[in-house]
Amino acid sequence: QVQLAESGGGLVQAGGSLRLSCAASGRTFSRHAMGWFRQAPGKEREFVAAISWSGGSTYYADSVKGRFTISRDNTKNTAYLQMNSLKPEDTAVYYCAAKKAYVDARGFAYDYWGQGTQVTVSS
């Protein structure tokens, strides 16, 4: 069992930066791939980024490539999403998720989800 808790969301102006954190409980964090997803009002949840259990492989949605960076620190049981050059269209609730074994961009493949953290980017 893995419990996840996101933090770091907030209100930022366009062009600004935020770093989201996802703290995980449980001793098997290092065996789980981690993903970040987001959901804007009236829209479906979408994939943002994912990282393998070792941190050696990362994947990004085209819409955030070059602006967002996913990382993890297995000694702290924490995953991160550094978001730079934020745009109003990045406004959404951001969720972190965990799954055993291989990384995946499909939300349904993830077993554990956090409660989400709101990110609002003003123009």
Side-chain angles (χ1 to χ4, degrees):
Q1 187 80 9
V2 176
Q3 293 183 321
L4 305 173
E6 303 94 337
S7 62
L11 173 64
V12 64
Q13 288 189 329
S17 298
L18 283 174
R19 187 175 83 154
L20 305 183
S21 298
C22 175
S25 66
R27 290 178 287 182
T28 61
F29 174 76
S30 61
R31 301 176 192 172
H32 288 74
M34 299 296 296
W36 284 96
F37 295 79
R38 67 186 182 186
Q39 187 166 21
K43 295 187 177 181
E44 293 186 353
R45 182 181 62 196
E46 64 174 355
F47 168 75
V48 176
I51 189 167
S52 61
W53 63 269
S54 68
S57 297
T58 57
Y59 303 88
Y60 297 93
D62 288 343
S63 59
V64 306
K65 204 171 291 183
R67 299 188 298 122
F68 291 12
T69 303
I70 189 171
S71 61
R72 66 189 296 160
D73 185 340
N74 287 344
T75 66
K76 297 181 178 179
N77 278 13
T78 303
Y80 305 95
L81 185 68
Q82 177 67 44
M83 305 186 295
N84 298 329
S85 302
L86 283 161
K87 305 175 181 180
E89 51 263 44
D90 294 318
T91 295
V93 177
Y94 283 70
Y95 300 90
C96 68
K99 68 178 296 292
K100 292 180 180 178
Y102 302 106
V103 68
D104 203 304
R106 301 169 298 174
F108 66 78
Y110 286 76
D111 303 303
Y112 307 103
W113 291 82
Q115 295 296 313
T117 185
Q118 176 70 47
V119 171
T120 302
V121 184
S122 64
S123 57

